Coordinates of all heavy atoms in Angstrom, one line a residue:
P48 N -22.4 7.6 -9.3 CA -22.6 9.0 -9.8 C -22.0 10.0 -8.8 O -21.9 9.7 -7.6 CB -24.1 9.1 -9.9 CG -24.7 7.7 -9.9 CD -23.7 6.9 -9.2
S49 N -21.7 11.1 -9.3 CA -21.2 12.2 -8.5 C -21.2 13.5 -9.3 O -21.1 13.5 -10.5 CB -19.7 11.9 -8.2 OG -19.1 13.1 -7.6
T50 N -21.5 14.6 -8.6 CA -21.3 15.9 -9.2 C -20.2 16.6 -8.5 O -19.1 16.9 -9.1 CB -22.6 16.8 -9.1 OG1 -23.6 16.1 -9.9 CG2 -22.4 18.2 -9.7
R51 N -20.3 16.9 -7.3 CA -19.3 17.7 -6.5 C -18.0 17.1 -6.4 O -16.9 17.7 -6.6 CB -19.8 18.1 -5.1 CG -20.7 19.2 -5.0 CD -21.7 18.9 -3.9 NE -22.5 17.8 -4.3 CZ -23.6 18.0 -5.1 NH1 -24.0 19.2 -5.4 NH2 -24.3 16.9 -5.5
T52 N -18.0 15.8 -6.0 CA -16.7 15.2 -5.6 C -15.8 15.1 -6.9 O -14.7 15.5 -6.9 CB -16.9 13.8 -5.0 OG1 -17.9 14.0 -3.9 CG2 -15.7 13.2 -4.5
R53 N -16.4 14.5 -7.9 CA -15.6 14.4 -9.2 C -15.2 15.7 -9.8 O -14.0 15.9 -10.1 CB -16.4 13.6 -10.2 CG -15.5 13.2 -11.4 CD -16.3 12.3 -12.4 NE -17.4 12.9 -13.0 CZ -17.4 13.8 -14.1 NH1 -16.2 14.1 -14.6 NH2 -18.5 14.3 -14.6
R101 N -14.4 6.4 -6.6 CA -15.6 6.2 -5.9 C -16.2 4.8 -6.3 O -16.2 4.5 -7.5 CB -16.6 7.3 -6.2 CG -18.0 7.0 -5.6 CD -19.0 8.2 -5.8 NE -18.6 9.2 -4.8 CZ -19.4 10.3 -4.6 NH1 -20.5 10.5 -5.3 NH2 -19.0 11.2 -3.7
H129 N -16.1 8.6 3.4 CA -15.9 9.7 2.4 C -15.0 10.7 3.0 O -15.3 11.8 3.4 CB -17.3 10.3 2.1 CG -17.4 11.1 0.9 ND1 -16.3 11.5 0.1 CD2 -18.5 11.6 0.3 CE1 -16.7 12.2 -0.9 NE2 -18.1 12.3 -0.9
Q132 N -14.6 14.4 1.8 CA -15.8 15.2 2.2 C -15.6 15.6 3.7 O -15.9 16.8 4.0 CB -17.1 14.3 2.1 CG -18.3 15.0 2.6 CD -18.8 16.1 1.7 OE1 -18.8 15.9 0.5 NE2 -19.2 17.3 2.2
P262 N -23.8 17.7 2.8 CA -22.8 17.3 1.8 C -23.3 17.5 0.4 O -22.5 17.5 -0.5 CB -22.5 15.9 2.2 CG -23.7 15.4 2.9 CD -24.2 16.6 3.7
L263 N -24.6 17.6 0.3 CA -25.3 17.7 -1.0 C -25.0 16.4 -1.8 O -24.0 15.8 -1.6 CB -24.9 18.9 -1.8 CG -25.1 20.2 -1.0 CD1 -24.6 21.4 -1.9 CD2 -26.6 20.4 -0.7
P264 N -25.9 16.0 -2.8 CA -27.0 16.7 -3.2 C -28.2 16.6 -2.2 O -28.3 15.6 -1.4 CB -27.4 15.9 -4.5 CG -27.0 14.5 -4.3 CD -25.7 14.7 -3.5
Ligands
CP401 N1 -21.1 15.3 -1.4 C1 -20.9 14.5 -2.5 O1 -20.3 13.4 -2.4 O2 -21.6 14.9 -3.6 P1 -21.5 14.1 -5.0 O3 -22.2 12.8 -4.8 O4 -22.2 15.0 -6.0 O5 -20.1 13.9 -5.3

Side-chain angles (χ1 to χ4, degrees):
S49 168
T50 296
R51 276 145 295 274
T52 308
R53 185 175 66 82
R101 170 172 287 186
H129 196 350
Q132 176 73 43
L263 305 178

